Amino acid sequence: MAKKKSELWEWTKALVVAVLLAAIIRYFLFAPIVVDGLSMMPTLHDQDRMIVNKFSYKIGEPDRFDIIVFHAPENKDYIKRVIGLPGDKIEYKDDTLYVNGEPYEEPYLDEYKQQVADGPLTEPFTLEEKIGQETVPEGHLFVMGDNRRFSKDSRHIGPVPMEDVLGTAGIIYWPIEDIRLIK
């Protein structure tokens, strides 16, 4: 009888430790998320399941072109690409991104740019036209979806406060045929 109690106690301890570790990992390091919508096509597809790396964001701010997950004003979590960092001056003209006056390549948009026949993929704008400021405010990010014509992003909701960022999107794990690291 004592052996059964000891074995039950050991299993209980192991289960409690496993649950605690899972909670710590989920809350502080990694979290699963499901893509809802088409705003990040062709990079991410509706209903892709992915892992958000919360730890990498805690180390420092995201880099330009990272894909991040953040709390949006509508009490939803959005997935978008970082275009502008604090202090950046952002402008689009002739379907080209300009950051602080320098043109930037966006190879993740090439597929969509080839498909568009009725104008640019990204309508021309300046940051001042969209948010009323010349540069991305300190402590904020300017984000956009890859599916520029059908994305509700910083052009509509304004710059994203850094404290609203949950983490960076790292890995798509479902559907199985789409498993990959996200660039």
Side-chain angles (χ1 to χ4, degrees), residues 36-110:
D36 182 22
L38 304 173
S39 72
M40 283 300 294
M41 289 282 291
T43 308
L44 303 174
H45 301 101
D46 188 33
Q47 300 304 304
D48 277 353
R49 284 164 173 62
M50 54 198 303
I51 300 291
V52 175
N53 182 347
K54 294 179 175 185
F55 184 70
S56 68
Y57 178 67
K58 305 277 189 248
I59 293 172
E61 67 184 41
D63 292 324
R64 187 178 330 283
F65 304 129
D66 280 354
I67 296 175
I68 62 168
V69 178
F70 61 94
H71 295 303
E74 297 88 20
N75 293 324
K76 289 179 69 177
D77 291 338
Y78 279 10
I79 301 171
K80 304 293 178 196
R81 190 177 297 274
V82 175
I83 300 298
L85 301 171
D88 281 347
K89 186 175 181 179
I90 303 296
E91 181 179 8
Y92 266 91
K93 57 183 175 187
D94 300 324
D95 224 359
T96 301
L97 166 65
Y98 291 86
V99 178
N100 302 320
E102 298 292 320
Y104 273 74
E105 296 281 325
E106 294 181 284
Y108 48 87
L109 296 179
D110 290 345

Side-chain angles (χ1 to χ4, degrees), residues 86-153:
D88 281 347
K89 186 175 181 179
I90 303 296
E91 181 179 8
Y92 266 91
K93 57 183 175 187
D94 300 324
D95 224 359
T96 301
L97 166 65
Y98 291 86
V99 178
N100 302 320
E102 298 292 320
Y104 273 74
E105 296 281 325
E106 294 181 284
Y108 48 87
L109 296 179
D110 290 345
E111 180 182 332
Y112 267 11
K113 283 183 179 181
Q114 293 171 1
Q115 295 173 7
V116 175
D118 61 341
L121 178 64
T122 308
E123 291 296 323
F125 71 87
T126 63
L127 199 60
E128 190 163 10
E129 291 170 351
K130 294 298 179 183
I131 69 168
Q133 298 181 24
E134 285 189 20
T135 61
V136 178
E138 285 303 315
H140 290 75
L141 301 168
F142 190 84
V143 299
M144 294 176 72
D146 290 354
N147 191 357
R148 299 292 166 80
R149 290 182 168 190
F150 302 100
S151 176
K152 187 173 185 181
D153 49 40

Side-chain angles (χ1 to χ4, degrees), residues 47-49 171-181:
Q47 300 304 304
D48 277 353
R49 284 164 173 62
I171 300 170
I172 295 175
Y173 67 89
W174 191 263
I176 289 180
E177 62 271 7
D178 289 339
I179 290 176
R180 70 183 188 282
L181 292 174

